[in-house]
Amino acid sequence: MKAVLLTLSIGALAVGVPLSAHHSFAADYFEDRTVTVTGDLVEFEYRSPHAWVQLLVRDANGEPQKYSAEWASAPRLQRSGIAADTLKPGDRLTITGAPGRNAGERRLHVKTIERPADGWVWRGAGQRR
C-alpha cells in the first residue's frame, strides 16, 4: 500500500512540475477580449520569463494611470529583433492586449505594440515592421 501511495505521489509531482513551470495566460487575462491603450513609456523591463512594459495612460478625467503590459520573454523578443533599448522612457506607445482578470491592476497581455512617431510596430508571433 505504501509503495502504491509513493508511486502515485511521485507521479503527481512529475505531472505538476511542467504545469507550474509555465502558466496559462488565460489564468490571468481575458484572452478572448482586447483593449487598446495609448500612453508614455515609463519603463521597459527586458527580462525573462516575461518582459514588461510600464505605461502612463490618461484616464477619462485626464489623470495618469499606470498600466503594466506583460510581453514575451527576452530571448523570444531578441529573435524578433527587439533589444533592451528598442523602447525608451518617454516613447508614446499604443498597446493592444488581453485585459487582466482584475481590472483594478490595469494589466494587459501584449498582442501588438505600436510607436506611431516612427511607424515601428510589433505584432504577435514575432512579426514586426
Side-chain angles (χ1 to χ4, degrees), residues 26 37 51 59 68 93 97 104-105 111:
V37 296
D59 66 14
S68 298
L93 303 175
E105 293 180 340
K111 304 302 180 193

Short mmCIF file of all heavy atoms in Angstrom, two decimals, residues 26 37 51 59 68 93 97 104-105 111:
data_model
loop_
_atom_site.label_atom_id
_atom_site.label_comp_id
_atom_site.label_asym_id
_atom_site.label_seq_id
_atom_site.Cartn_x
_atom_site.Cartn_y
_atom_site.Cartn_z
N ALA A 26 -4.40 32.57 -19.88
CA ALA A 26 -5.84 32.63 -19.63
C ALA A 26 -6.16 32.64 -18.13
O ALA A 26 -7.23 33.07 -17.74
CB ALA A 26 -6.54 31.47 -20.32
N VAL A 37 -4.67 50.73 -25.30
CA VAL A 37 -4.32 51.90 -24.51
C VAL A 37 -3.17 52.63 -25.19
O VAL A 37 -2.34 52.01 -25.86
CB VAL A 37 -3.94 51.54 -23.05
CG1 VAL A 37 -5.12 50.92 -22.31
CG2 VAL A 37 -2.73 50.62 -23.01
N ALA A 51 8.98 39.89 -20.45
CA ALA A 51 9.29 41.31 -20.41
C ALA A 51 8.03 42.07 -20.01
O ALA A 51 6.92 41.60 -20.22
CB ALA A 51 9.78 41.77 -21.78
N ASP A 59 -6.63 58.72 -18.03
CA ASP A 59 -8.00 58.22 -17.99
C ASP A 59 -8.96 59.27 -18.53
O ASP A 59 -8.53 60.34 -19.01
CB ASP A 59 -8.38 57.74 -16.58
CG ASP A 59 -8.44 58.86 -15.54
OD1 ASP A 59 -8.45 60.07 -15.92
OD2 ASP A 59 -8.49 58.54 -14.35
N SER A 68 0.49 48.04 -16.76
CA SER A 68 1.58 47.08 -16.91
C SER A 68 1.18 46.09 -17.99
O SER A 68 0.13 45.46 -17.90
CB SER A 68 1.81 46.33 -15.60
OG SER A 68 2.21 47.23 -14.59
N LEU A 93 3.43 55.07 -26.91
CA LEU A 93 3.11 53.74 -27.42
C LEU A 93 1.61 53.50 -27.39
O LEU A 93 0.90 54.01 -26.53
CB LEU A 93 3.78 52.66 -26.57
CG LEU A 93 5.30 52.72 -26.43
CD1 LEU A 93 5.77 51.65 -25.44
CD2 LEU A 93 5.98 52.55 -27.78
N GLY A 97 -3.99 44.53 -26.19
CA GLY A 97 -3.76 43.27 -25.49
C GLY A 97 -5.00 42.76 -24.79
O GLY A 97 -6.03 43.42 -24.76
N GLY A 104 -8.69 46.33 -11.65
CA GLY A 104 -8.00 47.31 -10.81
C GLY A 104 -6.49 47.29 -10.95
O GLY A 104 -5.82 48.27 -10.63
N GLU A 105 -5.94 46.19 -11.43
CA GLU A 105 -4.49 46.09 -11.62
C GLU A 105 -4.02 46.74 -12.91
O GLU A 105 -2.83 46.96 -13.08
CB GLU A 105 -4.05 44.62 -11.59
CG GLU A 105 -4.22 43.97 -10.25
CD GLU A 105 -3.78 42.51 -10.26
OE1 GLU A 105 -3.70 41.90 -11.35
OE2 GLU A 105 -3.50 41.99 -9.17
N LYS A 111 -0.54 41.96 -27.33
CA LYS A 111 -0.81 41.36 -28.65
C LYS A 111 -0.11 42.18 -29.73
O LYS A 111 0.45 41.63 -30.66
CB LYS A 111 -2.31 41.28 -28.94
CG LYS A 111 -3.10 40.52 -27.88
CD LYS A 111 -2.61 39.10 -27.72
CE LYS A 111 -3.43 38.38 -26.66
NZ LYS A 111 -2.84 37.14 -26.22
#
